[in-house]
Amino acid sequence: MILIKLGGSVLTNKDREYCFRTDVVERLIREIKKSSAEEYIIVHGGGSFGHPGAEKYDLNKENTEKPAEGMSKVQLDMRRMNNHILEMMLDEDIWGVSIPGGLVTIFEDGELYELDHEIFQRYLSLGTVPVSFGDVAIDKDRRVTICSGDDIMLGLSSLADKAIFVSDVDGIYKDKNLKDEFTEDMLPLEPEDLPEQEEAIDVTGGMNQKVKKMVEIAKKTETYLINGDEKDRLRKILNGDEVICTEVKR
Ligand code: ATP
Ligand code: IP8
């Protein structure tokens, strides 16, 4: 089974709320369809659908003033995004089924505590393609928190032969301006070695948090970050061909 995370940075225009990059999403779905991947799970991020609301309601903080209102609204935003993606998949005869991250996870003080693997395996064995996504989830300590798509990737990593993160950069860069060479082989780069991000970033922590989770995922399965803006990279990596990317090694 291959895990594919379609990142919010490639699916949406993060500078404009609710702005899908329709052509890119359609192409990525076609690349998956044309590839030799037979059994796979798609996980998608929140991009400009999920992050603005999550920030507005402080859903990733310890104290959230309006947890029920925030949960209700941001869950709806994420389900709208997910519906779009499922519709585009149906257009390519890919039988996607929605598995919202908030319904299959429990968090403890902001960290993933439990993820229900079995539901994914059951849907896979039906011949469907589970499509899970970052969501608002239950937290044992904080009441609510944000479940990142990267948490779902981590939770499913022990089932996977390969985990592919599709982003809008060629790989993980060591310098602040993303200008120098990105690192093709993350060993022995540690998440702490990455440049600190100054700008306000995603509620789920941007690239630094992603790399921490990728390092954990790499202990379980082959883990790559590729640029989905570049045509054919997703199809090629799914086929097992070499592409420009960062492979995070354990
Ligand atoms: P989402 O969390 O919404 O699903 P995503 O998974 O696509 O989004 P982001 O959190 O947006 O991922 O992270 C990708 C972005 O991180 C890139 O667009 C890039 O500009 C930025 N970035 C910051 N630091 C680095 C770095 N060291 N190497 C590569 N990209 C970086
Ligand atoms: O974009 C975040 O998921 P991510 C989901 O994968 C929400 O970090 C609701 C912001």
Side-chain angles (χ1 to χ4, degrees):
M1 187 273 286
I2 302 180
L3 275 174
I4 306 167
K5 160 95 192 276
L6 299 177
S9 61
V10 72
L11 297 180
T12 69
N13 179 344
K14 283 199 168 184
D15 298 327
R16 285 177 54 199
E17 277 189 42
Y18 309 114
C19 184
F20 243 112
R21 299 176 73 208
T22 308
D23 292 354
V24 177
V25 187
E26 284 176 351
R27 176 178 50 76
L28 290 171
I29 290 170
R30 279 198 305 275
E31 288 190 28
I32 295 172
K33 171 79 179 187
K34 281 195 280 176
S35 77
S36 60
E38 283 177 2
E39 197 180 50
Y40 55 92
I41 292 174
I42 295 178
V43 177
H44 68 80
S48 67
F49 282 76
H51 287 277
E55 197 180 338
K56 179 176 171 200
Y57 287 96
D58 282 336
L59 295 175
N60 224 26
K61 305 235 169 92
E62 273 173 49
N63 289 310
T64 312
E65 273 183 34
K66 296 178 179 168
E69 182 179 323
M71 182 174 236
S72 174
K73 290 188 178 169
V74 178
Q75 280 206 353
L76 184 61
D77 286 337
M78 286 309 302
R79 279 145 187 77
R80 286 192 172 126
M81 180 181 187
N82 180 247
N83 269 352
H84 268 303
I85 294 174
L86 290 170
E87 277 168 21
M88 289 186 221
M89 289 172 65
L90 266 186
D91 288 343
E92 292 296 327
D93 292 341
I94 305 179
W95 316 128
V97 290
S98 178
I99 307 189
L103 301 192
V104 291
T105 55
I106 302 277
F107 283 73
E108 191 176 58
D109 203 15
E111 300 290 326
L112 181 65
Y113 176 74
E114 208 173 278
L115 180 140
D116 182 2
H117 290 157
E118 199 184 325
I119 196 85
F120 286 89
Q121 283 163 316
R122 286 187 185 273
Y123 276 105
L124 278 174
S125 66
L126 278 175
T128 62
V129 176
V131 185
S132 194
F133 51 95
D135 203 3
V136 190
I138 304 272
D139 190 296
K140 296 202 291 175
D141 302 307
R142 303 180 182 182
R143 296 192 287 175
V144 301
T145 195
I146 292 294
C147 163
S148 160
D150 298 347
D151 292 315
I152 302 169
M153 294 290 280
L154 179 58
L156 292 172
S157 55
S158 58
L159 307 179
D161 301 308
K162 208 185 259 188
I164 301 167
F165 289 78
V166 185
S167 187
D168 63 345
V169 279
D170 281 347
I172 297 164
Y173 291 78
K174 284 185 190 175
D175 83 310
K176 239 187 189 98
N177 304 315
L178 314 184
K179 277 195 182 130
D180 289 344
E181 286 294 290
F182 61 91
T183 169
E184 285 178 16
D185 179 346
M186 271 284 291
L187 186 78
L189 183 63
E190 295 293 336
E192 304 73 77
D193 298 337
L194 288 177
E196 280 294 319
Q197 292 173 6
E198 291 154 6
E199 300 275 312
I201 32 142
D202 283 7
V203 294
T204 44
M207 186 55 80
N208 295 49
Q209 280 301 319
K210 182 184 300 302
V211 170
K212 280 187 191 154
K213 284 171 193 163
M214 290 181 85
V215 167
E216 287 306 305
I217 293 169
K219 292 177 185 163
K220 306 271 170 58
T221 190
E222 288 173 33
T223 304
Y224 303 90
L225 184 131
I226 65 161
N227 190 345
D229 274 338
E230 296 292 336
K231 289 191 181 122
D232 244 14
R233 287 201 189 157
L234 179 56
R235 185 184 66 81
K236 283 187 177 155
I237 199 163
L238 288 169
N239 287 350
D241 296 340
E242 277 199 13
V243 296
I244 293 171
C245 68
T246 292
E247 178 175 3
V248 179
K249 291 194 174 154
R250 73 201 105 186

